[in-house]
Amino acid sequence: MSEEAVIECAGETVSVDPRTDAKPTSAVRIAPVDLGPVHVETPVVLSPMAGVTNWPFRVLCEEYGPDGLYVAEMITARALVARNPKALRLCRFAPGERIRSLQLYGVNPGIVEQAARIVVDEDMADHVDLNFGCPVPKVTRRGGGSALPWKTDLFREIIQRVVRVCDEANIPVTAKIRVGIDHDHETFHEAGHIAQEEGCKAVTLHARTTAEYYGGHSDWSRIGELVSELDIPVFGNGDIWGADDALAMVEQTGCAGVAIGRGCQGRPWLFADIKHAFAGSGERTNPTLGEVGRIIVRHAQLLTEFYDGDERMAVHDLRKHVAWYLKGFPVGGATRRAFMECESLADVEREVAQLDQDAPYPERVVDKPRGRVRFQKKVHLPYGWLDSRTTTHEEREALFGDDPMDASY
């Protein structure tokens, strides 16, 4: 292997030093997956993350990575039906995105169906994913996200309606689920079978419960259980912090592909590592601080396009990403604060120019967890939610009433 590897990043060639401790080539491989008419050559998925996976970040990840699925952040169905401007902005895709993957969230089957109809009629996407995995209290207290599969009738009806609409346009539908609400109320077995029966082309399992939130380590054995039960592809999700984790998940569970969430925050090049790993290469990408700085500038430029030229909105959106990009680098609090005070592209470029261009990527954060390790102290659910596996008339009336959270951002 040469001393430097040259990687194409957002139209530019960036030289990066491969890790000297790269492991030998692996025998682990994953085969291409067909989701109906959508061919996924390397089934590696960028998981939808609120406030993160808009098209600028997806473009960066896709330019580094394999021909996988790079999914837009969750769109609330009611907001799309209401033509909320932010929802419509989040439905945009960059011209170069190979597969337009959109994720919908909702509780009311009628509203989710209407949202799917908009997606179909306006040719918004090539693939629709349904969110039944979000553990955030403001979602679960309305019976949505990872709380919803507990009500098997509601879960089935939403999938039925969306699949029926999307089938007309030959758009495949998939579902994202968790293990359950907690270990006394697991739902992933039934949910996986219902999704398969109702026409979903694949299921992604985040191997945690709602109660576990993002704490501890996800239990990959549950992914293996679902793989053994279903005929459709199962994608594994949870605690993939580096390429070797992706290899290990496939080897241990037999899953058809892997979904990457927090592991790529501030590290879009993780998809390059995973591409190399599944190709049998031990090459890994550890950019210098100067190279990371160039990615920050590129990200800011893309965000400016996303916000129709509004640099202030773009660099404010960039702030959380900058914190992730700089994680582990010895840049100091003053530099971090300066980035947080940027108001324009020129401000970002100025701060990037002042970074130590040759500072090596910090070994202590390589392939380590990203984001906050948070445990959910209490699962927030609608009153009486766990009393039955099906919804009552009264529950539906309460759930399907006006929900401002669904209609706005």
Side-chain angles (χ1 to χ4, degrees), residues 75-84 87-88 91 104 115 118-119 124:
I75 309 296
T76 63
R78 193 183 293 274
L80 182 54
V81 170
R83 314 297 295 189
N84 177 282
L88 293 174
C91 289
L104 293 176
I118 291 171
V119 171
M124 286 184 168

Side-chain angles (χ1 to χ4, degrees), residues 54-85:
N54 50 31
W55 72 251
F57 187 68
R58 295 197 306 271
V59 163
L60 290 175
C61 293
E62 187 167 8
E63 287 176 339
Y64 272 114
D67 290 338
L69 286 176
Y70 299 83
V71 188
E73 61 182 281
M74 182 181 79
I75 309 296
T76 63
R78 193 183 293 274
L80 182 54
V81 170
R83 314 297 295 189
N84 177 282

Side-chain angles (χ1 to χ4, degrees), residues 45-50 53 71-74 103 129 131 176 260-261:
V45 180
L46 168 62
S47 286
M49 289 178 281
T53 57
V71 188
E73 61 182 281
M74 182 181 79
Q103 188 186 67
D129 187 54
N131 183 305
K176 172 79 176 288
I260 316 300

Side-chain angles (χ1 to χ4, degrees), residues 7 60 269 384:
I7 292 181
L60 290 175
W269 56 85

